[in-house]
Amino acid sequence: MEESRKWAGWSAITVAAVFAASIAQMAGAQQRTAVEDIARYRELLQDGNPAELWELRGETLWKTKRGPKGVSLEGCDLGLGSGMVKGAYAAMPRYFADADRVMDLETRLVHCMVTLQGFSLADAKKQPFGNGTDRKSDMEALVAFITAESKGVPMNVGITHPKEQEAFQIGRSMFFHRGGPHDFACATCHGESNKRIRLQDLPNLLEPGDAQRAYTTWPAYRVSQGELRTFQWRLYDCFRQQRFPELEFTSDGSIALTLFLARNANGGKFNAPAIKR
Amino acid sequence: MTRKTILAVIAAMALIAGCATMMSDAEVSKKSLQVMKSSFKERGQAKLDRLDQDEVQAACSLYGTPDKVPKDVAQRLEQGQLKAVRYPADGKFVGDWKAGETIAQSGAGKQFNDDPTRPSGANCYACHQLSKQELSFGTIGPTLLNYGKLRGSSEETRKYTYAKVYNSNAFSACSNMPRFGHNGILTEQQIKDVVALLLDPESPVNK
Amino acid sequence: MADPMKIRATLQGDTVEVRVLMQHEMETGQRKDAAGKTIPAWHIQQVTATNNGKPVLSAQWGPAVSKNPFLSFKFKGGAKGDKVQITWTDNKGEKRTDEVVVS
């Protein structure tokens, strides 16, 4: 009896595959509906976020003995003590006494790859971003894994150390710095509430609510790029569109601006890696 | 470097370090520019001098958003920018609205990955509503729907519209809108085409 | 070598819900690269799922499925501790099999 019940039920009863459709068919739709549709599209994609593939790869990389010294990254101190990953990202960037420098997650990972694993600085920094196809970035995978370990943790970035205070002030100044042929600053698009570029809603990164929603949803799997993108990448590509020169990975400027924006998101529950169009 | 200058540099560094917790706005922008210069690298057409600021950029950065600029500062900036507007030698302000529409749709140009030999766009739709047909428009700037219908096309309006696209800051200091002519983003002909998009009765903006 | 899949299989009442993320380019064969050359098709063609070795799902996929696809399905008759195995094969003959225990 038990046997027959079992075999009678041997059929797949539902098969559902989610295909990433384009957000076409906007023409003719009402503006409000378009915004709602984008929100619904994100919601539908939430289940089965391919970012998890990056998290999986990152976890393996974190635990694998690598580099000239043949050790894993598990001894890396992300600010909460050696090997403590849970909740670490929600309090970064932060000041690290052993390096006497404010570091964001990527910079800290590079530091650990050099000091613990014995990689050269150039090797540790060489592939910050993947290209969406064949060239994958170990850094993005590690960041996906570590950030996922802060899911649900409220953002809590401090500015108690003088170097953190300085980074905050510099980050703020960079946010308002107009330059280049277009006079653009971060503030041009992200300094006012309820604005939109084309159909894309723009977060006002000076307002806690918007700043929280924006900051806590990076990294994100970008469906349109088929790639997991980190917050470092987000800044890099914003500056490209701002017509600025190329932002250097793990530079003091990128860390200062990240600290300013992360601090503005304090209190918001971290909720990434997310999924975005 | 002489010993004297080394001493001066050390003294300056000590001063900066000592005041880290309470840098003045001017100190912060100076330090911030230094940090930025070491945090970006030139690529393609985007050289490091893009981080340097002219008078308008420096003043506007200091006040943050356009609504925080004091009236007298705004007036001074606007007067200076208006004086620098270069009008077309042939006295004509209006070009071809169809070419203008293409320019209004394109966001290409001046990015480090753009080909500098190809013309730039103005990407007007990124920030403005312009025509009823184009639903994918932004709201950073005001709607320009029926721009020409509402304003007519007198000589004065044509000249003002040309100057506004050429240098938005000549009328509204610290506007979020790029100074398309002043900073060499668009050519004279391209600005005329954008003016036509706004003013031509046949343009979708006025239909 | 293809990257591992992420599989979850959970028993809910009398059905097992399986959710699978696969890493694959899923190139349609319709797109062109920057030089105007057609990018050759490269996508998963066959997906099979077994529970303790018995087939529970067989699917044929084409170029319409997105990059890094997500597949979710349910079947009856599974129990906690069963082994669910997923295999995909693409049009280049490349294959990947991963396994998870029903929880």
Side-chain angles (χ1 to χ4, degrees):
Chain A
M1 179 59 211
E2 178 59 27
E3 226 17 46
S4 70
R5 187 197 64 81
K6 202 165 180 180
W7 299 125
W10 270 132
S11 63
I13 56 173
T14 41
V15 177
V18 175
F19 306 141
S22 72
I23 340 172
Q25 298 140 16
M26 286 300 182
Q30 294 296 309
Q31 287 301 322
R32 250 183 68 80
T33 325
V35 173
E36 282 165 8
D37 279 349
I38 293 171
R40 181 160 158 68
Y41 168 80
R42 282 203 192 113
E43 212 174 283
L44 284 170
L45 289 171
Q46 208 64 54
D47 194 19
N49 182 352
E52 291 184 27
L53 296 167
W54 273 256
E55 294 169 27
L56 198 66
R57 200 158 61 84
E59 185 173 3
T60 309
L61 280 165
W62 178 258
K63 293 176 176 167
T64 305
K65 295 185 169 72
R66 295 194 311 149
K69 294 188 185 169
V71 293
S72 79
L73 280 168
E74 288 163 298
C76 182
D77 181 359
L78 300 173
L80 302 180
S82 168
M84 299 292 290
V85 180
K86 219 157 192 74
Y89 186 69
M92 293 179 99
R94 69 191 301 156
Y95 174 77
F96 287 89
D98 59 2
D100 190 28
R101 188 181 170 197
V102 174
M103 292 172 152
D104 64 352
L105 174 58
E106 283 92 335
T107 310
R108 190 60 185 172
L109 283 170
V110 165
H111 174 84
C112 287
M113 286 168 75
V114 171
T115 55
L116 291 179
Q117 298 184 309
F119 284 106
S120 72
L121 186 63
D123 273 350
K125 281 168 65 166
K126 75 172 175 214
Q127 184 93 75
F129 314 125
N131 68 349
T133 55
D134 51 323
R135 220 179 57 219
K136 288 199 181 96
S137 157
D138 287 350
M139 188 53 73
E140 281 177 339
L142 282 165
V143 169
F145 162 62
I146 292 159
T147 54
E149 291 289 306
S150 281
K151 251 187 195 166
V153 178
M155 288 299 301
N156 181 27
V157 173
I159 44 167
T160 45
H161 192 277
K163 290 210 172 175
E164 290 169 346
Q165 288 170 14
E166 188 185 293
F168 182 84
Q169 284 180 293
I170 288 170
R172 189 178 182 284
S173 173
M174 281 177 73
F175 184 84
F176 289 110
H177 186 98
R178 287 184 180 219
H182 285 59
D183 297 338
F184 287 156
C186 306
T188 307
C189 287
H190 298 292
E192 276 183 273
S193 300
N194 304 315
K195 295 288 177 186
R196 214 172 69 195
I197 188 158
R198 290 280 182 166
L199 286 178
Q200 178 74 49
D201 285 325
L202 293 165
N204 177 356
L205 298 177
L206 302 170
E207 279 293 318
D210 274 15
Q212 288 168 358
R213 264 190 300 281
Y215 191 85
T216 59
T217 51
W218 289 98
Y221 178 79
R222 293 291 299 268
V223 176
S224 55
Q225 301 173 13
E227 182 64 89
L228 181 115
R229 294 304 190 187
T230 60
F231 196 71
Q232 277 259 0
W233 176 86
R234 179 61 277 173
L235 293 185
Y236 173 91
D237 205 52
C238 267
F239 279 121
R240 178 184 66 84
Q241 292 171 290
Q242 237 172 284
R243 274 74 181 176
F244 277 36
E246 194 174 22
L247 182 66
E248 286 210 65
F249 183 63
T250 72
S251 61
D252 284 338
S254 74
I255 296 166
L257 186 54
T258 302
L259 185 136
F260 171 69
L261 297 171
R263 167 91 185 167
N264 288 355
N266 264 4
K269 260 196 194 141
F270 189 72
N271 191 27
I275 189 162
K276 293 172 195 264
R277 73 163 174 89
Chain B
M1 221 192 276
T2 66
R3 170 159 298 191
K4 220 174 191 176
T5 50
I6 292 171
L7 279 174
V9 168
I10 291 170
M13 277 164 60
L15 198 69
I16 289 166
C19 301
T21 56
M22 42 179 159
M23 287 191 283
S24 72
D25 284 354
E27 283 169 328
V28 172
S29 15
K30 206 174 144 206
K31 185 83 204 280
S32 157
L33 185 61
Q34 274 172 20
V35 169
M36 287 175 82
K37 287 266 169 129
S38 66
S39 298
F40 287 85
K41 55 175 184 255
E42 66 169 57
R43 177 164 161 191
Q45 56 180 311
K47 311 291 183 207
L48 281 182
D49 62 8
R50 289 196 176 179
L51 301 170
D52 294 325
Q53 297 175 312
D54 72 358
E55 185 200 7
V56 170
Q57 291 172 331
C60 297
S61 301
L62 211 57
Y63 298 109
T65 45
D67 53 306
K68 302 216 174 62
V69 185
K71 255 200 183 129
D72 57 322
V73 176
Q75 253 175 16
R76 183 172 52 79
L77 292 174
E78 285 161 11
Q79 280 164 8
Q81 295 294 295
L82 188 58
K83 259 189 230 151
V85 173
R86 297 228 312 263
Y87 294 97
D90 63 5
K92 293 196 177 103
F93 301 112
V94 185
D96 170 12
W97 71 260
K98 282 181 185 145
E101 167 72 9
T102 308
I103 295 162
Q105 289 284 6
S106 164
K110 303 283 184 194
Q111 296 167 128
F112 58 61
N113 59 324
D114 285 325
D115 176 356
T117 63
R118 303 196 49 176
S120 297
N123 214 6
C124 312
Y125 284 104
C127 299
H128 296 282
Q129 181 181 30
L130 284 137
S131 61
K132 286 195 194 82
Q133 294 95 304
E134 182 52 271
L135 293 162
S136 177
F137 62 84
T139 58
I140 295 172
T143 176
L144 299 173
L145 203 60
N146 293 322
Y147 181 96
K149 223 185 217 173
L150 295 169
R151 293 169 187 248
S153 59
S154 64
E155 169 78 9
E156 200 190 343
T157 301
R158 294 200 302 267
K159 189 175 177 186
Y160 161 76
T161 305
Y162 184 92
K164 176 79 186 184
V165 177
Y166 185 96
N167 190 340
S168 58
N169 282 242
F171 306 95
S172 167
C174 303
S175 164
N176 285 324
M177 178 168 148
R179 294 171 283 171
F180 288 105
H182 187 83
N183 281 338
I185 302 163
L186 298 181
T187 63
E188 182 182 292
Q189 184 57 47
Q190 283 183 304
I191 298 175
K192 289 180 177 182
D193 293 340
V194 172
V195 171
L197 179 69
L198 291 166
L199 293 178
D200 196 311
E202 292 308 310
S203 151
V205 169
N206 301 311
K207 282 283 178 185
Chain C
M1 238 247 330
D3 281 310
M5 287 175 245
K6 170 130 189 176
I7 313 172
R8 269 167 301 202
T10 48
L11 184 69
Q12 287 161 351
D14 63 344
T15 54
V16 175
E17 185 179 13
V18 184
R19 290 146 87 228
V20 192
L21 270 167
M22 307 170 199
Q23 188 135 328
H24 203 284
E25 279 306 307
M26 302 301 289
E27 197 56 64
T28 62
Q30 309 279 329
R31 298 198 311 151
K32 289 183 170 58
D33 64 14
K37 257 180 60 192
T38 302
I39 306 170
W42 180 29
H43 55 79
I44 294 172
Q45 273 184 325
Q46 178 84 29
V47 182
T48 57
T50 60
N51 187 56
N52 286 345
K54 301 278 178 190
V56 289
L57 173 111
S58 171
Q60 273 163 17
W61 281 9
V65 178
S66 82
K67 177 171 179 161
N68 299 330
F70 171 63
L71 167 74
S72 155
F73 64 94
K74 296 174 183 173
F75 66 86
K76 278 187 177 168
K80 279 193 183 170
D82 284 1
K83 278 189 183 135
V84 171
Q85 205 174 60
I86 312 281
T87 301
W88 58 251
T89 314
D90 69 22
N91 64 329
K92 289 185 183 172
E94 199 174 345
K95 243 177 142 147
R96 171 92 210 178
T97 300
D98 290 282
E99 189 178 88
V100 74
V101 174
V102 176
S103 61

